[in-house]
Amino acid sequence: MQKIKKAVIPAAGLGTRMLPISRAVPKEMLPIVDRPAISYLVEEAAASGAEDILIITGRGKDAIENYFDYSIEYEKKLTESGKLDKIEEMRRICSLANVYFLRQKETRGLGHAVLTAKNFVGNEPFFILYGDDIILSETPVCAQLADAYEKHGLPVCGVKPVPWELVYKYCSLKAEQRDDKSYLVTDMIEKPKPDEVYTNLSILGRVLMTPEIFDILEVTPPGAGGEIQLTDAMGILARRSGMTAVDFEGTRFDLGAKLGFLKANVVAAINHPEVGEEFREFLREFAKKLN
Ligand code: UTP
């Protein structure tokens, strides 16, 4: 089976759920303690084998590009104060993979953002990492998807069961269980109405896709919310030849929503090598005052 060497990270969305901050700071650049969300995504893609990573950006998102560039001024200052390990860490971030940027000129939906990556992807399978979904896991989730691709030979989506009463906010998969962790998917629907729900399995932020998706996306009309939905295009693919769903190992945080952002920070902070211990102590004391 072909190794997956390319990844696409759509990060052009307006982030209206994170207003007013998203007006000035891209939600993908919001910090999880001291690293922006996008940094976790590039690390995950690179750790899963991706050598070329395309980040789809838009107007007002230049900060993302700056993050993956060298910081000559900081390096000068850090050299003077002998903090060479900090320089090394910043350079490591810049050399994880070849990171490319392309603008989606109009925010016409996730499907449209993925379609802009057509020439970059060419004729290879590739990972898609939704720019506001961080997953903390033992094994990188994209690598888990690659294993399933190797095994079953079909495009793969990363899924989790979501609370039934919230399925309408996500997508719903028509899926039959194959084994403990994997399902055969034969249809899916974005933001289903109550009578359209298949299962409570929803795609949460990771897909391993094959290039035939582009021909489908080119003719996919706007769907839920008036946007070109990746789910609608993947639904066609699933009905045509099936997809695999993997109930991945890991905890997912939606950085595009206030609660997800806060939870990710707490979890990352208690495990942070520099501040973790003190932060745990603070939380223990603080929790005593909560009712
Ligand atoms: P979301 O629907 O979560 O992002 O898209 P959004 O549109 O920014 O969110 P709200 O509802 O306004 O708060 C999932 C991913 O797809 C990207 C987003 O940046 C996010 O990472 N996306 C979405 C694009 O790249 N382009 C789009 O046109 C829409």
Side-chain angles (χ1 to χ4, degrees), residues 1 5 17 73 90 125 133 137 155 207 209 223 227-228 279:
M1 190 68 65
K5 293 200 190 125
R17 286 167 298 154
E73 295 77 11
M90 292 203 295
D133 275 324
S137 60
V207 173
M209 193 33 74
E227 297 194 332
I228 297 174
F279 188 64

Side-chain angles (χ1 to χ4, degrees), residues 233-251:
M234 290 195 294
I236 293 176
L237 200 60
R239 291 195 288 281
R240 194 188 280 170
S241 44
M243 279 182 67
T244 295
V246 170
D247 185 347
F248 56 81
E249 169 272 310
T251 309

Side-chain angles (χ1 to χ4, degrees), residues 53-105:
I53 301 175
L54 177 67
I55 303 179
I56 312 284
T57 67
R59 278 179 296 284
K61 303 249 185 184
D62 301 357
I64 300 179
E65 204 163 328
N66 296 340
Y67 183 75
F68 293 98
D69 197 358
Y70 286 171
S71 322
I72 303 302
E73 295 77 11
Y74 282 100
E75 290 185 9
K76 191 166 170 281
K77 186 89 188 156
L78 291 167
T79 308
E80 282 163 13
S81 53
K83 294 183 177 148
L84 301 183
D85 52 331
K86 281 217 159 62
I87 298 179
E88 207 177 295
E89 170 56 11
M90 292 203 295
R91 290 247 166 178
R92 188 189 70 82
I93 291 165
C94 303
S95 59
L96 286 166
N98 302 311
V99 180
Y100 306 83
F101 300 90
L102 186 65
R103 282 194 176 197
Q104 182 192 17
K105 295 181 186 65

Side-chain angles (χ1 to χ4, degrees), residues 4-287:
I4 318 297
K5 293 200 190 125
K6 289 185 179 170
V8 175
I9 306 180
L14 294 175
T16 52
R17 286 167 298 154
M18 287 303 271
L19 280 170
I21 184 74
S22 46
R23 199 163 48 159
V25 181
K27 59 180 172 175
E28 300 78 9
M29 286 304 291
L30 290 175
I32 302 174
V33 188
D34 50 5
R35 284 164 54 204
I38 195 81
S39 189
Y40 284 78
L41 295 172
V42 169
E43 293 251 5
E44 180 190 327
S48 304
E51 293 167 9
D52 294 310
I53 301 175
L54 177 67
I55 303 179
I56 312 284
T57 67
R59 278 179 296 284
K61 303 249 185 184
D62 301 357
I64 300 179
E65 204 163 328
N66 296 340
Y67 183 75
F68 293 98
D69 197 358
Y70 286 171
S71 322
I72 303 302
E73 295 77 11
Y74 282 100
E75 290 185 9
K76 191 166 170 281
K77 186 89 188 156
L78 291 167
T79 308
E80 282 163 13
S81 53
K83 294 183 177 148
L84 301 183
D85 52 331
K86 281 217 159 62
I87 298 179
E88 207 177 295
E89 170 56 11
M90 292 203 295
R91 290 247 166 178
R92 188 189 70 82
I93 291 165
C94 303
S95 59
L96 286 166
N98 302 311
V99 180
Y100 306 83
F101 300 90
L102 186 65
R103 282 194 176 197
Q104 182 192 17
K105 295 181 186 65
E106 287 178 283
T107 45
R108 292 175 58 202
L110 176 59
H112 181 258
V114 171
L115 182 56
T116 62
K118 182 178 173 179
N119 286 358
F120 166 81
V121 168
N123 200 25
E124 300 175 33
F126 62 107
F127 298 123
I128 305 173
L129 300 90
Y130 301 9
D132 51 7
D133 275 324
I134 300 305
I135 305 174
L136 303 179
S137 60
E138 292 285 317
T139 309
V141 179
C142 285
Q144 298 178 43
L145 269 46
D147 283 348
Y149 181 62
E150 176 99 42
K151 197 163 161 196
H152 303 289
L154 292 171
V156 190
C157 46
V159 301
K160 282 275 171 211
V162 300
W164 283 98
E165 68 278 12
L166 296 181
V167 180
Y168 75 95
K169 285 187 173 186
Y170 300 86
C171 70
S172 170
L173 266 55
K174 187 174 180 184
E176 275 166 44
Q177 195 149 12
R178 272 210 205 93
D179 53 51
D180 235 18
K181 290 277 157 204
S182 103
Y183 299 78
L184 174 65
V185 182
T186 50
D187 205 353
M188 63 181 78
I189 180 162
E190 182 67 25
K191 311 233 169 7
K193 299 191 182 78
D195 61 338
E196 293 173 330
V197 170
Y198 293 120
T199 65
N200 67 339
L201 289 176
S202 294
I203 300 174
L204 296 183
R206 299 291 182 274
V207 173
L208 189 167
M209 193 33 74
T210 45
E212 70 236 70
I213 197 71
F214 295 117
D215 288 346
I216 303 175
L217 279 169
E218 259 159 5
V219 293
T220 300
E227 297 194 332
I228 297 174
Q229 297 288 352
L230 180 61
T231 311
D232 291 345
M234 290 195 294
I236 293 176
L237 200 60
R239 291 195 288 281
R240 194 188 280 170
S241 44
M243 279 182 67
T244 295
V246 170
D247 185 347
F248 56 81
E249 169 272 310
T251 309
R252 173 255 188 188
F253 298 95
D254 179 4
L255 267 285
K258 294 172 185 73
L259 197 58
F261 166 73
L262 293 169
K263 287 180 183 174
N265 266 288
V266 171
V267 172
I270 61 173
N271 295 312
H272 195 281
E274 202 179 308
V275 296
E277 210 166 302
E278 267 183 75
F279 188 64
R280 275 169 198 262
E281 192 46 42
F282 163 77
L283 278 186
R284 275 188 212 104
E285 287 305 312
F286 190 72

